[in-house]
Amino acid sequence: MIISRFAPSPTGFLHLGHAYSALLAFQLAKTSNGLFKLRIEDIDLIRCKKIFHNKIYYDLNWLGVKWEKDVFVQSDRIYIYKNYINFLNDRGLVYGCECSRSDINNALLALDKPFKYPNTVTYPGTCRKKKLDIWSNNIRINVDKINHHLGSPTLSFNEKGLGPNGEKGIQQFDLQWFKQTLGDIVIARRDIRTSYHLASTIDDFHQNVSLVTRGNDLFYDTPIHVLLQKLFNFKIPNFYHHKLINDQNGKKLSKSKNSESLNQLREKGMSLDEIKSLIEQ
Ligand code: GLU
């Protein structure tokens, strides 16, 4: 049985891109008699607002999407993420990092090898041996130690949708590749005690999600989630990355300053069918 999900961050009102994502995840579950779950990813307490959170339920109802009762709200679950960090810390697989962004950039410039992978710059390891307290710093994974702990595994996931460069089917990677391309990433920010990667991976497991459905801008983060799933001994779900909906100027909607919310489109008199035809083009 497919269990899919929609996991918006309430940093603004839902727009056409969200509508597409929610309707697709709902459809994928329903066509297989599966379940569709909802999760509010509001760990960023400064950018997320209650007004946006509350409107999500209204918008989804309007779209005709029906979700299961076990809605997760991540800001209520920080203590759960903390237990998982302790699990990694007890095994020596994470460390505290006091570097600021500019410290990291300077260190990378000194090494003369700023390495860019979508969304990430690899961390040069400045704090790896400092034994800093994890709870008063950012928390990073130690990829070398994890590789050793897991016995140099080859990890994989099944892409059921399409990555940004046409990736489909089984995707494999090992931790040498992970180290070179992603590095010792932050899994808990000092200010919020978690990260999107950690919270989302744990919650997909706790919500029994079997098909992680989301925009393909997150495709290149998937190895991070698969690595965390392996570390926590979670079953690795399938992934379905979907196209992004752009505005009239070809700009990604979430980044587009003047992207209209579903609310505004509704107020202009647009019907649900018109919305659906816009996103299915
Ligand atoms: N919360 C993320 C967003 O609104 C989505 C994350 C996910 O689907 O894994 O962009």
Side-chain angles (χ1 to χ4, degrees):
M1 180 174 68
I2 289 183
I3 303 183
S4 69
R5 48 61 149 195
F6 176 55
S9 300
T11 53
F13 292 116
L14 298 191
H15 50 59
L16 284 178
H18 292 111
Y20 178 72
S21 196
L23 287 166
L24 178 72
F26 181 63
Q27 217 169 32
L28 286 168
K30 286 300 144 190
T31 49
S32 73
N33 277 327
L35 303 175
F36 169 77
K37 306 246 174 153
L38 176 61
R39 177 165 76 239
I40 309 297
E41 297 204 327
D42 61 346
I43 53 172
D44 193 328
L45 298 174
I46 296 181
R47 292 178 59 227
C48 294
K49 303 272 180 269
K50 200 73 193 159
I51 176 175
F52 302 136
H53 175 166
N54 291 341
K55 195 75 177 178
I56 289 172
Y57 307 106
Y58 184 91
D59 282 341
L60 290 180
N61 263 322
W62 186 76
L63 288 171
V65 163
K66 303 261 175 295
W67 58 94
E68 296 301 304
K69 287 206 182 71
D70 63 339
V71 177
F72 276 23
V73 178
Q74 291 191 323
S75 56
D76 292 341
R77 295 173 49 78
I78 304 294
Y79 69 98
I80 294 174
Y81 312 136
K82 200 172 168 192
N83 292 339
Y84 283 93
I85 294 170
N86 281 330
F87 171 92
L88 297 177
N89 193 37
D90 291 346
R91 287 157 185 76
L93 304 177
V94 292
Y95 58 92
C97 172
E98 63 185 352
C99 296
S100 63
R101 257 174 214 277
S102 63
D103 290 340
I104 296 171
N105 283 339
N106 291 339
L108 284 166
L109 285 174
L111 288 172
D112 197 26
K113 59 157 205 175
F115 190 106
K116 274 200 190 275
Y117 180 69
N119 306 330
T120 330
V121 176
T122 53
Y123 175 66
T126 322
C127 292
R128 213 176 274 139
K129 296 214 166 83
K130 287 190 190 165
K131 297 199 186 321
L132 297 170
D133 172 46
I134 58 164
W135 296 116
S136 44
N137 289 291
N138 288 324
I139 305 173
R140 290 184 181 275
I141 54 169
N142 186 325
V143 179
D144 280 338
K145 286 210 175 151
I146 290 175
N147 196 27
H148 185 252
H149 174 79
L150 294 175
S152 309
T154 298
L155 301 175
S156 64
F157 63 94
N158 195 352
E159 176 57 51
K160 298 280 195 181
L162 215 53
N165 290 305
E167 296 91 342
K168 198 169 179 53
I170 304 295
Q171 311 290 311
Q172 285 193 328
F173 63 95
D174 63 20
L175 295 192
Q176 286 307 329
W177 171 87
F178 193 106
K179 187 177 173 185
Q180 280 164 13
T181 50
L182 291 155
D184 288 357
I185 52 127
V186 171
I187 56 151
R189 263 165 49 189
R190 184 182 1 229
D191 55 340
I192 54 173
R193 315 277 85 220
T194 185
S195 63
Y196 157 63
H197 305 305
L198 186 76
S200 173
T201 303
I202 292 169
D203 288 350
D204 278 332
F205 174 71
H206 284 233
Q207 288 189 298
N208 297 311
V209 170
S210 65
L211 185 65
V212 171
T213 37
R214 60 186 179 199
N216 69 16
D217 52 335
L218 293 166
F219 176 83
Y220 293 109
D221 286 332
T222 308
I224 301 173
H225 306 163
V226 172
L227 178 59
L228 291 170
Q229 282 151 355
K230 177 81 182 163
L231 278 167
F232 298 138
N233 211 10
F234 294 165
K235 187 168 190 295
I236 313 251
N238 288 325
F239 291 84
Y240 192 116
H241 290 92
H242 61 71
K243 69 173 181 182
L244 301 176
I245 306 286
N246 294 329
D247 69 5
Q248 301 97 314
N249 307 318
K251 256 190 141 181
K252 189 185 150 190
L253 273 178
S254 57
K255 299 269 188 294
S256 150
K257 293 229 166 39
N258 43 17
S259 66
E260 284 181 302
S261 66
L262 290 178
N263 202 33
Q264 286 167 308
L265 296 172
R266 219 168 22 231
E267 276 171 7
K268 275 186 171 175
M270 207 177 260
S271 71
L272 182 53
D273 282 343
E274 283 169 313
I275 298 264
K276 285 187 178 167
S277 72
L278 270 182
I279 56 187
E280 273 151 20
Q281 280 164 12

